[in-house]
């Protein structure tokens, strides 16, 4: 009886194992293109960058292994730390500005009303323009002679003479902030709008019946239920701000007086102007560690509280 039982139960088990193995291979085939893209465009370049950072790697000629010397040099690079300090200041200011504009816009377009689709399209349109193209556009707008802002203000009698907005730090900095908010706020608005639309309407109606005002509903319902959406929007905004380069390179060229040098701009300068590719790779690795750490901190701060479904 034991032999008969084993012979009758073995084939179904074998079929299950074969079926499970086939499903695993099918799953691997489906994910293989994505894995290949990640390997080719992220993992391999990351490994090459880490390897280059351990070398004196000129643009031309032989490279030599120097260990951690590039990283020790970073500790003495005051220009990099000043650029990193400015990048942090810019990140804080522009992130606050983006959310200050995007959140009211998201609340405004979240509810169906006349021309809502038109408003959404209008506010989102700058997001489809590349940063390089937007920077070229604003470089013309900010031009003191042939641009729009300063000549228009002069022609309207608002100022006594044409004012160069890019000549000193404060006007130049806030001009960049205005350009980035114009460019990015629409994209952040769409992300926040999806979060607002995912909040059950029953909760809002129950809070209204209980006598909760708009601010109380926003604080007790909207913000807690939008933690994941806020985390996504915040990480994208902070990461994009830390990696800012196009607008500062095209519009300001790091000026005035190198006061708007960002971390990525300095990496570009060391790598492709001074041709210190190994040192630029080391700077890139340090910036990557900082970016990953900041993203993890943001995820931890905006983590979902226990018991909140």
């Amino acid at each position: 009886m034991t032999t008969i039982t084993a012979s009758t139960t073995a084939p179904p088990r074998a079929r299950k194992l074969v079926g499970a193995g086939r499903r695993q291979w099918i799953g691997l085939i489906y994910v293989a293109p994505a894995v290949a893209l990640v390997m080719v465009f992220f993992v391999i370049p990351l490994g090459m960058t880490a390897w280059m950072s351990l070398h004196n790697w000129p643009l031309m000629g032989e490279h030599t292994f120097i260990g951690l010397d590039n990283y020790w040099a970073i500790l003495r690079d005051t220009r990099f730390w000043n650029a990193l300090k400015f990048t942090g200041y810019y990140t804080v200011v522009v992130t606050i500005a983006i959310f200050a504009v995007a959140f009211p816009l998201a609340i405004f377009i979240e509810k169906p009303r006349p021309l809502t689709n038109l408003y959404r399209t209008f506010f989102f349109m700058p997001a489809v323009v590349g940063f390089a193209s937007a920077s070229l556009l604003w470089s013309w707008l900010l031009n003191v002679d042939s641009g729009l802002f300063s000549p228009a203000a002069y022609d309207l009698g608002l100022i006594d003479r044409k004012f160069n907005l890019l000549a000193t730090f404060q006007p130049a900095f806030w001009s960049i902030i205005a350009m980035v908010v114009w460019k990015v706020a629409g994209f952040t608005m769409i992300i926040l709008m999806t979060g607002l639309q995912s909040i059950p309407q029953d909760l809002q109606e129950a809070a209204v019946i209980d006598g909760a005002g708009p601010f109380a509903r926003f604080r007790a319902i909207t913000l807690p239920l939008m933690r994941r959406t806020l985390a996504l929007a915040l990480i994208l905004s902070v990461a994009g701000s830390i990696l800012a380069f196009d607008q500062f390179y095209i519009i300001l060229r790091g000026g005035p007086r190198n006061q708007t040098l960002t971390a990525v701009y300095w990496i570009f300068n060391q790598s492709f102007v001074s041709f210190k590719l190994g040192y630029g790779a080391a700077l890139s690795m340090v910036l990557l560690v900082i970016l990953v750490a900041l993203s993890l901190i943001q995820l931890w701060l905006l983590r979902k509280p226990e018991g909140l479904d």
Side-chain angles (χ1 to χ4, degrees), residues 76-136:
R76 302 186 299 270
D77 190 349
T78 56
R79 185 67 64 84
F80 171 69
W81 295 109
N82 288 335
L84 196 61
K85 180 180 177 181
F86 170 74
T87 303
Y89 173 65
Y90 163 76
T91 299
V92 172
V93 174
V94 78
T95 300
I96 294 174
I98 289 172
F99 275 79
V101 174
F103 222 132
L105 290 179
I107 294 174
F108 174 72
I109 67 171
E110 185 248 337
K111 300 294 183 184
R113 56 168 54 91
L115 303 179
T116 296
N117 291 333
L118 180 62
Y119 292 140
R120 292 174 180 175
T121 303
F122 178 76
F123 295 144
F124 182 75
M125 279 181 63
V128 304
V129 181
F131 252 112
S133 301
S135 299
L136 288 172

Side-chain angles (χ1 to χ4, degrees), residues 16-269:
K16 289 181 180 179
L17 291 175
V18 172
R22 185 181 294 112
R23 286 193 296 271
Q24 290 178 355
W25 279 109
I26 293 174
L28 289 174
I29 292 173
Y30 280 130
V31 301
V35 172
L37 288 174
V38 172
M39 290 293 295
V40 171
F41 293 105
F42 179 74
V43 177
I44 294 177
L46 179 61
M48 293 178 61
T49 302
W51 177 248
M52 289 178 63
S53 70
L54 303 176
H55 292 73
N56 178 15
W57 201 301
L59 183 65
M60 305 292 291
E62 294 291 330
H63 56 271
T64 56
F65 182 81
I66 58 174
L68 299 177
D69 287 359
N70 282 326
Y71 292 95
W72 290 117
I74 291 175
L75 297 177
R76 302 186 299 270
D77 190 349
T78 56
R79 185 67 64 84
F80 171 69
W81 295 109
N82 288 335
L84 196 61
K85 180 180 177 181
F86 170 74
T87 303
Y89 173 65
Y90 163 76
T91 299
V92 172
V93 174
V94 78
T95 300
I96 294 174
I98 289 172
F99 275 79
V101 174
F103 222 132
L105 290 179
I107 294 174
F108 174 72
I109 67 171
E110 185 248 337
K111 300 294 183 184
R113 56 168 54 91
L115 303 179
T116 296
N117 291 333
L118 180 62
Y119 292 140
R120 292 174 180 175
T121 303
F122 178 76
F123 295 144
F124 182 75
M125 279 181 63
V128 304
V129 181
F131 252 112
S133 301
S135 299
L136 288 172
L137 171 63
W138 278 72
S139 180
W140 167 73
L141 292 174
L142 296 168
N143 189 281
V144 64
D145 296 316
S146 59
L148 176 64
F149 297 144
S150 182
Y154 176 76
D155 292 339
L156 292 173
L158 301 177
I159 54 178
D160 297 332
R161 56 186 177 84
K162 294 180 180 180
F163 179 72
N164 188 355
L165 293 169
L166 306 180
T168 55
F169 174 75
Q170 289 296 337
F173 176 76
W174 289 106
S175 297
I176 295 294
I177 296 296
M179 188 276 285
V180 175
V181 171
W182 169 81
K183 166 76 175 65
V184 178
F187 178 74
T188 306
M189 172 198 72
I190 295 297
I191 296 176
L192 297 176
M193 183 191 71
T194 59
L196 290 170
Q197 291 178 339
S198 66
I199 299 175
Q201 191 63 29
D202 296 343
L203 292 178
Q204 299 283 6
E205 294 174 355
V208 172
I209 294 174
D210 291 339
F215 179 76
R217 296 198 305 272
F218 181 79
R219 179 179 56 83
I221 297 176
T222 303
L223 285 181
L225 294 179
M226 286 188 62
R227 284 179 179 270
R228 292 179 178 176
T229 305
L230 289 171
L232 173 62
L234 186 61
I235 288 174
L236 291 175
S237 178
V238 170
S241 301
I242 290 177
L243 300 177
F245 171 72
D246 297 41
Q247 58 269 39
F248 292 101
Y249 178 73
I250 294 174
I251 298 177
L252 297 177
R253 297 282 178 173
R257 296 185 297 275
N258 292 327
Q259 291 178 296
T260 59
L261 277 177
T262 63
V264 174
Y265 199 138
W266 185 242
I267 293 172
F268 167 82
N269 182 279

Side-chain angles (χ1 to χ4, degrees), residues 238-306:
V238 170
S241 301
I242 290 177
L243 300 177
F245 171 72
D246 297 41
Q247 58 269 39
F248 292 101
Y249 178 73
I250 294 174
I251 298 177
L252 297 177
R253 297 282 178 173
R257 296 185 297 275
N258 292 327
Q259 291 178 296
T260 59
L261 277 177
T262 63
V264 174
Y265 199 138
W266 185 242
I267 293 172
F268 167 82
N269 182 279
Q270 293 299 293
S271 300
F272 304 110
V273 177
S274 299
F275 301 123
K276 300 176 182 178
L277 299 183
Y279 185 63
L283 291 171
S284 300
M285 295 303 297
V286 171
L287 189 61
L288 174 64
V289 171
I290 294 173
L291 188 57
V292 170
L294 288 175
S295 299
L296 292 175
I297 292 172
Q298 292 173 78
L299 287 174
W300 180 78
L301 291 174
L302 292 172
R303 68 192 184 281
K304 192 174 183 180
E306 296 182 3

